[in-house]
Amino acid sequence: MSGEQEFGAPTPPGGSGSGGHIGPAGGWGPPPAPGTWTSGAPPTQPYGSAPPPMPPYPPGPVPPGHGPAPVPPRRHRVRRYLVTLAVAAVAAAVGIGVSRAYLQPQSPSGPVAPSGSGVTGSTDVSAKVDPTLVTINTTLGYQGARAAGTGIVVSSNGEILTNNHVIDGATSVSATDVGNGRTYTATVVGYDHAGDLAVLQLQNASGLATAKLGDSSKVAVGEAVTAIGNAGGTGTPTTASGDVIGLDQSIIANDPGSGTAEQLTGMIQVDANVQAGDSGGSLVDSSGAVIGIDTAGTESNGGGGQRQAASQGFAIPINTALPLARQIMAGQSSTDIHIGPTAFLGVEVATTADSGSGPGALVASVIPGSPAAQAGLTQGDEITAVDGQVVDTPAALTTIMASRTVGSQVTVQWTDADGASHSATVTLVSGPAG
């Protein structure tokens, strides 16, 4: 059984800090059940008048000796992505997927969720854990969709720990505290691309029940665990019981919403059925102490959101998550950690595989009203440099943009379809979350 620790306490033995994390990655989730995915064209209204959250992150390399777990990939590499990245929706392969749920448009009776999406939590453990969770709903403005996930309450004034992919591409975020039933507007304090973690702040929250945090360094294979989260995006926490079947696992995960693939290491593997919507929820031991953050699960082969007989889930160990969460809450940025709103240029660029041209970032589309549009960038242009830094791949452009701040000015150089060179200085606005 895991030992209990306080959120603000030093990292317990066996914990890891941000130094152990690999380079940036994107948001993720298993493919939505049939009838629950809705795509749409990007909005046509100008962007930047209101400062929504932040962007996705490109996949990073797996450290030597850490190959992917023997499971199918969880997401595809994105074929197009925005800078800073709100990505186009594409299909994902069957395999391992991040567990963010995609929902149909709001109906008078509320969100539509997959059938058979979970077992309503009624156990002694869930009775302890449910009040320390929030259900998260996001609007993905550039994808014309909505998505749902889960968060863990880590402070009584509304600081929430969740997966970065839960808020990936969001232009608005709200969260309902299960303990008091109230819904709050949530802002993104910061996020860690590499570790797939984010911290939210619920506005005007106080007196919330907080999670009991365990010690993941003491978790052993064979230990009984329970995964609790917002399965199917129904807004009611559900439970999935199982055992730990692997430690320190490396996986590649797919997200159909952002169309990207993500590599994560050091994961706890369980045979509990982690589902779409569980992302950011609690993996707890028999005492109800959080030992991990539900992150990925087997993508279902069955129709109607039915559970698979052989299921598996993956969770980020709490000892890995806590140092990163503390760093975000302290406002300390790093190579992997972004604090505050994300600077947004407003172009969608094709991957190298799609571009079919020379070095640079090929512009696939431009968001109307964005800084890029105002500068005169159009589809078919190829961005070659930003502030004198060479852009030889789409990933290079993403890396450069990740270091910029909202309100800062950058000089963009590009070549148009006729081969003519252009340059313009633009002021970056606030972009989509995570």
Side-chain angles (χ1 to χ4, degrees):
M1 180 180 297
S2 302
E4 183 179 351
Q5 59 176 296
E6 295 295 326
F7 181 76
T11 306
S16 60
S18 58
H21 289 275
I22 59 177
W28 36 308
T36 62
W37 166 254
T38 300
S39 61
T44 56
Q45 67 270 25
Y47 191 82
S49 56
M54 354 187 154
Y57 41 83
V62 177
H66 288 75
V71 293
R74 170 169 98 152
R75 334 168 160 200
H76 292 307
R77 181 177 297 274
V78 69
R79 295 189 63 79
R80 291 180 175 183
Y81 50 91
L82 292 174
V83 182
T84 278
L85 312 189
V87 288
V90 298
V94 173
I96 296 298
V98 296
S99 30
R100 171 168 63 166
Y102 293 91
L103 305 175
Q104 290 180 344
Q106 186 78 30
S107 67
S109 59
V112 177
S115 61
S117 59
V119 176
T120 302
S122 59
T123 66
D124 291 340
V125 170
S126 66
K128 298 176 183 177
V129 177
D130 286 1
T132 68
L133 296 175
V134 297
T135 58
I136 297 173
N137 285 284
T138 62
T139 299
L140 311 177
Y142 292 105
Q143 298 175 29
R146 295 186 305 114
T150 315
I152 300 169
V153 181
V154 294
S155 73
S156 60
N157 67 345
E159 290 169 308
I160 306 298
L161 179 59
T162 188
N163 288 127
N164 181 66
H165 72 259
V166 167
I167 56 159
D168 181 17
T171 50
S172 68
V173 184
S174 65
T176 300
D177 181 71
V178 177
N180 65 18
R182 291 184 57 189
T183 298
Y184 302 86
T185 298
T187 58
V188 180
V189 178
Y191 53 89
D192 178 351
H193 283 159
D196 192 26
L197 295 166
V199 174
L200 309 180
Q201 175 65 61
L202 306 187
Q203 299 302 295
N204 302 315
S206 63
L208 305 187
T210 59
K212 172 185 175 183
L213 303 178
D215 181 356
S216 56
S217 70
K218 298 180 179 178
V219 174
V221 172
E223 179 174 349
V225 293
T226 303
I228 304 178
N230 183 24
T234 63
T236 301
T238 61
T239 65
S241 299
D243 298 314
V244 175
I245 59 175
L247 300 171
D248 197 25
Q249 299 295 297
S250 298
I251 63 171
I252 298 174
N254 298 306
D255 184 356
S258 64
T260 53
E262 181 170 50
Q263 298 166 331
L264 291 175
T265 61
M267 307 289 283
I268 299 172
Q269 184 177 1
V270 299
D271 59 9
N273 194 359
V274 175
Q275 296 194 0
D278 284 334
S279 281
S282 296
L283 181 70
V284 300
D285 62 18
S286 58
S287 74
V290 179
I291 57 173
I293 299 172
D294 301 331
T295 298
T298 306
E299 296 177 343
S300 174
N301 291 313
Q306 298 301 319
R307 294 180 179 274
Q308 294 185 159
S311 59
Q312 56 183 326
F314 295 87
I316 299 171
I318 195 63
N319 288 17
T320 299
L322 287 182
L324 299 173
R326 294 187 187 110
Q327 188 173 341
I328 292 170
M329 292 165 66
Q332 299 172 353
S333 62
S334 69
T335 302
D336 294 331
I337 291 178
H338 182 93
I339 303 297
T342 301
F344 187 67
L345 178 60
V347 297
E348 184 184 43
V349 295
T351 62
T352 302
D354 289 331
S355 64
S357 61
L362 181 68
V363 176
S365 66
V366 178
I367 301 300
S370 68
Q374 294 172 10
L377 280 153
T378 61
Q379 181 180 3
D381 292 342
E382 191 164 33
I383 297 174
T384 56
V386 174
D387 287 341
Q389 293 180 260
V390 174
V391 173
D392 52 7
T393 64
L397 179 58
T398 301
T399 300
I400 293 171
M401 290 301 301
S403 65
R404 301 308 193 260
T405 57
V406 175
S408 64
Q409 290 189 326
V410 298
T411 299
V412 182
Q413 294 174 272
W414 72 93
T415 302
D416 65 24
D418 295 325
S421 297
H422 304 266
S423 178
T425 299
V426 302
T427 301
L428 301 176
V429 298
S430 179

